Every structure is written in C-alpha cells, then in structure tokens.
Amino acid sequence: MRIILLGAPGAGKGTQAKSISNKYNIPHISTGDIFRKNISERTPLGIEAKKYIDNGQLVPDELTIDIIKSRLVEEDCENGYLLDGYPRTVEQAKALDGFLNEREANLDTALLIKVPREFILERMTGRRVCPSCGASYHVKFNPPKNEGICDICGSDIIQRDDDTEITVNKRLDIYEAQTHPLIEYYRSRDLLSEVDGTQAINDVFESVSKVLNELKK
C-alpha cells in the first residue's frame, strides 16, 4: 500500500503512522525524522532546514522533494510505504504524482486525521519532555508524579520551543494556508479518506484500520 497521512501538527499522525507501519508491514517515512537526523548531524540540509523549523515555518519544497524521492527508491519501499509529513503543499503533491507516474505506481489513499484547532492547542502546549531520557508527559493528560520532574530519571522536564502557544498557532496558520489545500486536492481525485482524531489512540487506529482494510479488498 502507498499511503499519505494528512493532518494538522499535533493531530497524532506520528503515533498512528507507527501502528500502520507495523500492521501493514510498510516503512514509515517521516520528513520530520529525516530533517531531525540532518539537524542533529549538522549537515548542510539540516542547518538550512533548522532556520525554518525554529521559526515554525515549513521547509521549502526544493529542500524536501529530492530527499523524499531518494528515500522512495530504496528497497524496503518496493511493496509500499506510508508518507508522514510529505507532501505538505499541492506543489509537493504534484511532484509526487510525477514520481509515481514515472514508476507506473499508484497512490492508494490520502488519509486525513481530523482534529479541531482548539483540541490541538491544548494537546501541544501542554506537552513536556525530559531532555535527559526523552520521556514525554502532558500537564493535563499525562502529568509526572511530581510536578516538573521526570518519573524515570528525576531530571527537570521542559516545554520544547516548538510547543509554545505562539509557535503552535503559527504552525497551524501555515498549515491552514498551505497544507489544508491538499485535502481538496486529494478529495477531487477520490483519494481522500477521513477519521476522527479526537478519539482515544486505540479507537483512532481502529478507524484507520477499517479504512485501509476496505482499500485492500
């Protein structure tokens, strides 16, 4: 299966993507992971991408398209893949269409996880992480036993720069202006599927599985 996962920042795409990848035995290809790897290794691409990410902006198409194409021709993608974070714009979608046409391949679906803006704001601004061990928390939904202290290693937990209200709102504004048109793009091609992302994680995945199982018939 060849699947695109759509949804606003904080909609839970990463969590669902991992479950889809495991169940359907296809690689989960996340542009976020690719960029984070390049940023941590301080590659030229990573340094350039960091400028945009730190400001809550999308990485320009020209920095994104080539790295995705090179990933999709790797051996583990022969039987399909799940794209998480790409395409982000209609221009990127058209570039992917061209790539698939060249390889005489088809996209199975663009799967949208729908979550209201106010729900995302509460979810993202409440997130906290441990910089020492990587544990994740939420001030409302998953607080640590002792406020501000990691349950696992005892370090102070922090709010990431990209989880502040200003940055989250900026990211959502960019999504609505640039990425939201993808919904109409794929709907017009009868490739859009939708699930309610406000459900519990397991319930969201159950809804996702129903959609994908129908496509496999």
Side-chain angles (χ1 to χ4, degrees), residues 21-166:
S21 175
N22 290 334
K23 180 171 181 176
Y24 297 94
N25 195 29
I26 53 177
H28 168 208
I29 299 173
S30 166
T31 52
D33 289 344
I34 294 172
F35 284 129
R36 279 189 287 273
K37 182 174 185 293
N38 280 271
I39 289 170
S40 67
E41 295 177 355
R42 296 189 59 78
T43 66
L45 172 63
I47 292 171
E48 186 66 19
K50 190 174 188 296
K51 298 175 184 177
Y52 296 93
I53 294 171
D54 285 350
N55 286 319
Q57 297 176 317
L58 296 177
V59 177
D61 291 348
E62 59 269 22
L63 292 180
T64 305
I65 292 170
D66 286 344
I67 194 171
I68 292 296
K69 287 183 177 180
S70 65
R71 177 68 181 89
L72 297 184
V73 298
E74 293 183 16
E75 185 177 354
D76 65 337
C77 292
E78 288 184 1
N79 295 320
Y81 40 79
L82 173 70
L83 286 170
D84 171 16
Y86 181 92
R88 288 184 183 271
T89 65
V90 171
E91 289 72 22
Q92 290 181 3
K94 291 178 178 178
L96 178 61
D97 289 343
F99 171 82
L100 291 171
N101 288 337
E102 290 172 3
R103 299 178 66 82
E104 298 183 348
N106 296 311
L107 182 68
D108 289 288
T109 190
L111 180 63
L112 171 64
I113 299 178
K114 296 181 63 176
V115 182
R117 186 183 183 110
E118 60 272 16
F119 192 94
I120 290 173
L121 277 169
E122 181 179 39
R123 177 185 286 175
M124 293 184 71
T125 59
R127 289 193 304 198
R128 299 294 184 270
V129 296
C130 176
S132 298
C133 71
S136 298
Y137 301 91
H138 192 282
V139 295
K140 179 178 180 180
F141 305 119
N142 181 35
K145 294 176 182 177
N146 297 304
E147 184 176 353
I149 304 297
C150 177
D151 294 344
I152 298 173
C153 70
S155 299
D156 291 338
I157 60 176
I158 63 170
Q159 182 182 49
R160 299 185 309 182
D161 291 341
D162 56 355
D163 284 339
T164 65
E165 186 172 352
I166 291 174

